[in-house]
């Protein structure tokens, strides 16, 4: 008996898939089909898969061509499967020519001609209209957004808004390769041309820009801090719900698969009850940067606070009892370095942020049975350990992380706009509001507002 194996996502099952399976089956007597999990697809940079795995498996099953269906969930699995099932022929479409030649050590490798003019990507494109995004603010982060947005299929950045002439000129120069219209005066007119905005302007403008965009029915992805007071933040989420618009706070680590895995491990009971979370985020900002020169809204806390507070709120929850701050200030009176102590009923946490002082950017979650440590930079979660009293006992995790992390956030935003996929559990409105609550305590204590 000749055994054949093939793999795929088989999203929005189409004729190209059917024809591939038909020819794969004809290569032998027994066909095994591997269907990828969402997690595996995300890890290999394939975002926006629409059909859940059970539906994709069902569709393959309904062809009647597969003798066995398996799930593909990790790199290197193909070699295992070929040996485990005694496979004679590995086959895939011609878009993969050469990629799997290394499997020739284990079995015959055959690339079958792809059916022209059809793919899941094309179907996804025609099932949803392209989301036109406008950038509010034209600083460094807006430039990074542009580069990473290329990895979201069905989203295109078409315009930018910034009344600041100097910033616009720099942006024009650095982003000449992109076709983007720039609006310097009329925010309403800018909003009119887009479906969604990414707000990456100065902190104090976030709330007003977000409110106006939501009022115009536009989806909003807003850099942190979303607002300066809990009330404002609550109001924005309510407004978004009433307008049927998506509102997401751009704390990118929250949307990364590696960080999700860390949360799962922390919450699995492995390390017992969680008693302490320590998160540090520091980055030495350029001397002339806005965060180091703005005497009112500059400083480490407003710049980076959201990053370090996010894991604390995710792990210990929204209901903290008290918060206190301690800072080292610079000559402008803004903070170069801030420690935030948060007390919960049965646990505590510390967040540390620095923009002119550098520290170890790690995340440590302490429990009654052990602890989780994510090495620096934990926010680009690429490795973490679970450690115990017995120091020889270490479980090491190395989740995959692609790009600079923004693409995960952008794809999450796009999925929410399309209304596909799961609920917004990665950073809920309640969690984002709780983070704003801590921002409020800080800005009030320091007389910023
Ligand atoms: N395939 C094919 N002809 C097509 C589309 C896909 O022969 N027009 C094959 C692929 O080469 C692969 C299998 O079908 O062997 C599963 O492909 P998959 O990646 O799931 O489908 P695509 O339509 O290529 O998906 P995407 O657009 O998301 O890459």
């Amino acid at each position: 008996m000749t055994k054949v194996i093939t793999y795929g996502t088989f999203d929005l099952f189409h004729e190209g898939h059917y024809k591939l399976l038909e020819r794969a089956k004809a290569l032998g007597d027994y066909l095994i089909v591997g269907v990828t999990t969402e997690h595996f697809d995300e890890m290999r940079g394939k975002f926006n898969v629409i059909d859940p795995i059970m539906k994709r498996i069902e569709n393959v099953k309904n062809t009647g061509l597969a003798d066995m269906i398996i799930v593909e969930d990790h790199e290197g699995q193909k070699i295992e499967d070929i040996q485990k099932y005694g496979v004679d022929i590995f086959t895939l479409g011609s878009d993969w020519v050469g990629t799997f030649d290394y499997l020739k050590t284990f079995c015959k490798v055959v690339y079958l001609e792809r059916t022209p003019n059809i793919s899941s990507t094309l179907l996804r494109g025609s099932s949803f209209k392209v989301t036109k995004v406008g950038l509010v603010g034209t600083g460094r982060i807006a430039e990074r957004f542009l580069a990473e947005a290329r990895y979201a299929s069905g989203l295109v950045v078409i315009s930018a808004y910034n009344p600041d002439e100097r910033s616009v000129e720099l942006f024009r120069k650095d982003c000449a390769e992109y076709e983007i219209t720039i609006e310097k005066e009329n925010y309403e007119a800018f909003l009119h041309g887009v479906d969604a905005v990414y707000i990456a302007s100065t902190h104090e403008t976030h709330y007003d820009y977000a409110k106006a965009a939501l009022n115009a029915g536009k989806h909003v992805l807003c850099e942190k801090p979303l607002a300066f007071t809990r009330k404002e933040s609550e109001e924005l989420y309510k407004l978004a719900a009433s307008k049927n618009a998506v509102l997401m706070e751009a704390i990118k680590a929250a949307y990364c698969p590696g960080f999700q895995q860390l949360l799962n491990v922390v919450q699995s009971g492995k390390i017992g009850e969680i008693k302490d979370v320590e998160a540090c985020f520091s980055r030495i900002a350029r001397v002339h940067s806005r965060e180091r020169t703005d005497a009112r809204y500059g400083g480490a806390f407003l710049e980076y606070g959201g990053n370090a507070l996010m894991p604390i709120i995710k792990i210990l929850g929204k209901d903290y009892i008290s918060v206190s701050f301690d800072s080292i200030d610079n000559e402008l009176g803004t903070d170069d370095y801030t420690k935030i102590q948060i007390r919960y009923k049965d646990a505590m946490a510390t967040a540390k942020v620095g923009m002119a002082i550098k520290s170890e950017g790690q995340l440590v979650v302490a429990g009654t049975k052990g602890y989780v440590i994510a090495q620096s930079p934990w926010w680009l979660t690429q490795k973490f350990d679970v450690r115990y009293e017995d120091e020889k006992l270490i479980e090491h995790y190395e989740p995959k992380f692609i790009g600079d992390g923004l693409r995960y956030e952008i794809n999450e935003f796009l999925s929410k706009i399309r209304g596909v996929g799961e609920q917004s559990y990665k950073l809920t409105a309640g969690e984002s509001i709780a983070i704003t609550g801590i921002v409020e305590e800080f800005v009030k204590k320091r007389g910023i507002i």
Side-chain angles (χ1 to χ4, degrees):
M1 179 163 79
T2 305
K3 280 191 177 179
V4 181
I5 197 162
T6 190
Y7 296 85
T9 306
F10 302 105
D11 190 26
L12 304 174
F13 198 88
H14 56 69
E15 189 199 346
H17 294 145
Y18 187 85
K19 287 191 169 158
L20 186 285
L21 293 180
E22 211 174 26
R23 283 170 298 151
K25 174 87 176 186
L27 289 173
D29 312 302
Y30 189 87
L31 178 65
I32 306 173
V33 181
V35 180
T36 54
T37 62
E38 279 92 358
H39 181 69
F40 183 59
D41 275 328
E42 206 172 60
M43 288 289 180
R44 63 193 185 121
K46 189 167 186 169
F47 301 104
N48 301 133
V49 172
I50 292 173
D51 289 340
I53 183 161
M54 293 313 286
K55 183 163 179 199
R56 292 184 283 119
I57 289 176
E58 197 56 33
N59 286 338
V60 170
K61 193 169 159 207
N62 288 342
T63 63
L65 294 163
D67 296 287
M68 183 184 195
I69 299 177
I70 57 171
V71 166
E72 185 184 25
D73 71 350
H74 62 273
E75 227 172 274
Q77 184 182 326
K78 292 185 177 73
I79 296 178
E80 289 163 23
D81 292 339
I82 289 167
Q83 296 176 97
K84 187 157 73 182
Y85 300 113
V87 167
D88 304 288
I89 301 174
F90 167 90
T91 186
L92 266 187
S94 50
D95 42 330
W96 296 100
V97 168
T99 312
F100 294 101
D101 285 358
Y102 68 90
L103 295 173
K104 285 181 181 164
T105 324
F106 303 93
C107 66
K108 195 171 160 192
V109 174
V110 176
Y111 298 104
L112 295 166
E113 206 48 50
R114 227 178 121 85
T115 307
N117 307 323
I118 180 125
S119 74
S120 306
T121 306
L122 273 175
L123 289 174
R124 281 193 288 268
S126 57
S127 338
F128 298 102
K129 73 179 184 66
V130 170
T131 300
K132 288 186 267 172
V133 177
L135 306 174
V136 181
T138 48
R140 282 159 295 144
I141 181 80
E143 289 180 23
R144 277 180 25 217
F145 184 92
L146 262 182
E148 287 274 303
R150 290 197 274 207
Y151 299 94
S153 66
L155 178 147
V156 58
V157 180
I158 59 156
S159 57
Y161 171 81
N162 196 343
D164 184 272
E165 188 73 47
R166 211 172 63 91
S167 171
V168 163
E169 282 322 308
L170 279 174
F171 181 77
R172 260 196 230 283
K173 213 162 71 205
D174 293 346
C175 301
E177 68 196 273
Y178 300 94
E179 271 178 42
I180 289 183
T181 53
I182 295 181
E183 174 62 55
K184 284 186 277 189
E185 276 152 29
N186 192 337
Y187 187 55
E188 298 301 322
F190 157 81
L191 286 177
H192 189 69
V194 298
D195 306 308
V197 292
Y198 169 56
I199 301 178
S201 49
T202 50
H203 307 318
E204 71 282 9
T205 60
H206 290 175
Y207 166 76
D208 287 334
Y209 282 141
K211 188 172 170 180
L214 291 169
N215 266 323
K218 310 298 173 182
H219 306 290
V220 173
L221 174 63
C222 184
E223 267 307 322
K224 58 212 162 306
L226 174 62
F228 283 160
T229 68
R230 189 183 270 271
K231 198 164 150 268
E232 285 174 348
S233 193
E234 279 168 354
E235 181 198 331
L236 291 177
Y237 281 105
K238 267 199 203 123
L239 181 59
S242 75
K243 294 283 182 181
N244 231 344
V246 174
L247 170 62
M248 258 175 64
E249 186 170 9
I251 302 180
K252 70 177 184 184
Y255 308 103
C256 292
F259 181 73
Q260 288 300 315
Q261 191 181 14
L262 181 146
L263 286 181
N264 296 343
V265 169
V266 163
Q267 284 152 354
S268 70
K270 254 177 192 292
I271 60 167
E273 280 172 52
I274 313 302
K275 293 294 177 186
D276 187 25
V277 180
E278 280 179 1
C280 174
F281 189 104
S282 70
R283 183 180 290 149
I284 307 260
R286 284 181 295 116
V287 178
H288 301 295
S289 61
R290 177 190 42 75
E291 51 271 36
R292 283 181 79 158
T293 52
D294 183 340
R296 190 172 171 91
Y297 301 109
F301 179 84
L302 285 181
E303 196 62 26
Y304 305 136
N307 294 330
L309 293 170
M310 184 276 292
I312 296 173
I313 298 293
K314 289 288 319 172
I315 295 168
L316 295 175
K318 302 177 296 230
D319 302 320
Y320 49 85
I321 294 169
S322 63
V323 179
S324 61
F325 305 92
D326 201 359
S327 300
I328 295 173
D329 288 349
N330 54 31
E331 60 289 352
L332 288 180
T334 63
D335 61 316
D336 273 349
Y337 193 71
T338 289
K339 265 189 192 172
I340 307 121
Q341 296 284 355
I342 306 174
R343 182 70 215 193
Y344 286 80
K345 185 165 163 283
D346 293 315
M348 57 172 73
T350 309
K352 285 196 295 189
V353 285
M355 69 164 188
I357 293 172
K358 185 75 189 159
S359 185
E360 180 70 9
Q362 62 181 14
L363 171 66
V364 184
V365 185
T368 50
K369 293 185 190 159
Y371 66 98
V372 168
I373 176 163
Q375 289 93 344
S376 178
W378 67 262
W379 51 94
L380 313 181
T381 323
Q382 302 192 57
K383 51 186 180 215
F384 64 91
D385 288 349
V386 183
R387 299 184 191 166
Y388 302 92
E389 185 63 39
D390 176 355
E391 67 271 15
K392 291 192 285 307
L393 212 62
I394 296 178
E395 290 155 26
H396 186 62
Y397 293 78
E398 282 202 26
K400 200 154 178 176
F401 180 89
I402 323 172
D404 76 352
L406 265 180
R407 68 186 67 175
Y408 299 111
E409 177 181 281
I410 297 171
N411 277 290
E412 177 79 5
F413 186 50
L414 190 58
S415 301
K416 295 283 158 288
I417 291 172
R418 291 172 168 181
V420 297
E422 62 292 301
Q423 300 291 311
S424 307
Y425 68 94
K426 291 178 183 161
L427 185 67
T428 64
E431 288 161 347
S432 164
I433 291 165
I435 293 171
T436 316
I438 298 174
V439 172
E440 177 170 359
E441 299 211 25
F442 181 85
V443 290
K444 286 200 167 145
K445 180 171 174 265
R446 295 181 65 104
I448 295 170
I449 62 161

